[in-house]
């Protein structure tokens, strides 16, 4: 009875214990390639005839089993194989770093070879009377002159003299001419340039010499000929023939005659009974 009472009073006994999952459960190892021994009747990769292990290593032939991941067609190394690059520690680790400090020792540099002073050697050879290539070669072997590092006059150029009030840097961009933009100044300049160009072209054509004489042909004469138009008087009712017009829209009589003359000239190419409509030609 005491044991039964203690079991009822202990609530941890009936609590669900957490399942400990290992690395193999979380990240299972990759599946190895299929072999002939793994094939069972009814499987997707069951074959007839001669079957070899190499057939199950071809990814184009191997089929995925129902409810299982696809088998890999490549063989993997053993369980003791470590993937990745193994770096061997040569610095001694943390104890070596705390114990002392490795100082980088500067490697000895090779002495810098001085540049040969060809100007001085050529000057000395000319003064000695040596002009051939063989004589110059032997003179340079005996009198080898070098340009010292201290004498940098031949290497470094003197800086040009600059005025004391000179300003260095990039010049600022000029301000945008807003007044010229608002007044369409650039458009006016462009129009003036176009007019000047057209005027120059017209003058060039005017002064161009026409070689030979042009003769009028029948086609050119017919093209310029205007057929005469017969003017028919307008019909008026007898009792309205002597009535003067009550409305006159022309300022003067000359304007009236000029308008009627232009109207009569266009009679031949206008439509309608009174020749007041659109033109007949396009």
């Amino acid at each position: 009875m005491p044991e039964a009472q203690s079991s009822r009073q202990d609530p941890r006994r009936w609590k669900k214990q957490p399942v400990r999952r290992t690395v193999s459960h979380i990240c299972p190892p990759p599946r190895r390639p299929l072999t002939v021994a793994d094939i069972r009747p009814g499987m997707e990769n069951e074959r007839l005839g001669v079957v070899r292990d190499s057939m199950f290593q071809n990814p184009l032939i191997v089929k995925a089993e129902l409810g299982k991941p696809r088998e890999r067609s490549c063989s993997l190394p053993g369980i003791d194989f470590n993937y990745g690059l193994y770096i061997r520690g040569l610095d001694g680790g943390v104890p070596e770093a705390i114990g002392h400090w490795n100082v980088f020792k500067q490697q000895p540099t090779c002495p810098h070879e001085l540049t040969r002073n060809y100007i001085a050697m050529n000057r000395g050879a000319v003064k000695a009377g040596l002009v051939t290539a063989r004589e110059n070669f032997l003179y340079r072997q005996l009198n080898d002159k070098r340009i010292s590092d201290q004498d940098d006059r031949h290497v470094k150029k003197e800086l040009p003299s600059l005025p004391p009030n000179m300003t260095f840097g990039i010049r600022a961009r000029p301000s945008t001419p807003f007044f010229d933009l608002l007044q369409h100044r650039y458009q006016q300049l462009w129009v003036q340039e176009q007019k000047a160009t057209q005027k120059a072209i017209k003058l060039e054509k005017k002064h161009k010499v026409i070689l030979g004489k042009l003769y009028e042909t029948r086609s050119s004469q017919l093209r310029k000929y205007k057929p005469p138009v017969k003017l028919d008087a307008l019909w008026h009712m007898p009792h309205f023939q002597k009535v003067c017009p009550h409305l006159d829209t022309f300022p003067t009589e000359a304007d009236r005659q000029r308008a009627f003359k232009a109207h009569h000239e266009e009679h031949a190419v206008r439509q309608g009974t009174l020749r007041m409509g659109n033109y007949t030609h396009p």
Side-chain angles (χ1 to χ4, degrees):
M1 294 298 291
E3 294 179 359
Q5 293 178 1
S6 61
S7 62
R8 292 196 193 102
Q9 294 175 0
D10 189 6
R12 292 180 298 177
R13 184 176 180 181
W14 305 102
K15 187 181 293 185
K16 186 177 180 180
Q17 298 296 332
V19 179
R20 294 185 177 276
R21 304 181 65 186
T22 61
V23 179
S24 300
H25 294 89
I26 299 174
C27 184
R31 298 174 64 85
R32 60 184 180 83
L34 284 174
T35 58
V36 179
D38 298 335
I39 302 301
R40 299 288 182 271
M43 296 180 66
E44 293 288 341
N45 292 288
E46 183 182 6
R47 297 180 178 278
L48 300 176
V50 180
V51 182
R52 298 181 299 274
D53 290 339
S54 61
M55 294 181 178
F56 303 105
Q57 297 180 3
N58 190 346
L60 301 177
I61 299 176
V62 177
K63 300 179 181 179
E65 299 290 340
L66 182 61
K68 295 182 181 180
R70 181 183 293 275
E71 302 285 347
R72 298 296 93 191
S73 302
C74 56
S75 58
L76 301 177
I79 193 173
D80 298 333
F81 181 78
N82 295 325
Y83 294 90
L85 180 64
Y86 181 75
I87 302 176
R88 299 182 181 276
L90 301 176
D91 54 354
V94 178
E96 191 74 14
I98 296 176
H100 66 281
W101 186 263
N102 291 329
V103 181
F104 177 75
K105 296 180 180 180
Q106 186 177 4
Q107 297 180 358
T109 57
C110 59
H112 178 65
E113 185 178 0
L114 301 178
T115 307
R116 302 182 72 176
N117 193 349
Y118 291 98
I119 299 177
M121 289 188 292
N122 293 341
R123 188 188 303 112
V126 171
K127 288 181 180 180
L130 307 176
V131 293
T132 62
R134 178 66 179 175
E135 292 173 350
N136 276 274
F137 177 75
L138 294 175
Y139 180 83
R140 292 175 184 176
Q141 294 293 332
L142 296 176
N143 303 280
D144 190 7
K145 298 181 181 180
R146 303 280 178 169
I147 300 176
S148 62
D149 295 337
Q150 304 298 332
D151 188 11
D152 55 353
R153 291 176 299 175
H154 301 281
V155 180
K156 295 184 179 179
K157 297 181 179 179
E158 296 181 0
L159 296 177
S161 59
L162 300 176
N165 57 350
M166 182 176 181
T167 304
F168 297 89
I170 302 175
R171 293 184 178 180
R173 186 177 63 85
S175 59
T176 304
F178 288 102
F179 291 100
D180 293 344
L181 294 176
L182 296 176
Q183 296 175 0
H184 304 285
R185 178 63 180 171
Y186 299 102
Q187 179 184 359
Q188 297 174 3
L189 294 175
W190 182 83
V191 171
Q192 293 177 4
E193 292 177 359
Q194 296 299 320
K195 289 182 179 180
T197 305
Q198 293 178 1
K199 187 175 181 181
I201 292 173
K202 289 181 179 179
L203 290 176
E204 184 180 358
K205 290 182 178 180
K206 184 177 180 181
H207 295 293
K208 189 174 181 181
V209 178
I210 301 176
L211 300 178
K213 185 179 179 180
L214 298 179
Y215 295 93
E216 292 287 341
T217 61
R218 182 175 177 81
S219 299
S220 61
Q221 293 177 358
L222 291 175
R223 193 181 302 113
K224 298 178 181 179
Y225 175 73
K226 293 183 179 180
V229 179
K230 185 179 180 181
L231 300 178
D232 297 333
L234 299 178
W235 180 82
H236 296 280
M237 296 182 70
H239 58 278
F240 287 130
Q241 290 182 358
K242 297 181 181 181
V243 178
C244 297
H246 295 280
L247 181 63
D248 191 2
T249 58
F250 297 96
T252 60
E253 185 64 24
D255 295 337
R256 178 186 180 88
Q257 297 298 333
R258 193 182 303 110
F260 273 102
K261 183 179 179 182
H263 176 69
H264 292 319
E265 289 179 355
E266 297 180 355
H267 263 189
V269 294
R270 283 185 175 271
Q271 296 178 349
T273 306
L274 301 178
R275 302 298 179 181
M276 301 289 291
N278 298 330
Y279 289 94
T280 55
H281 61 78

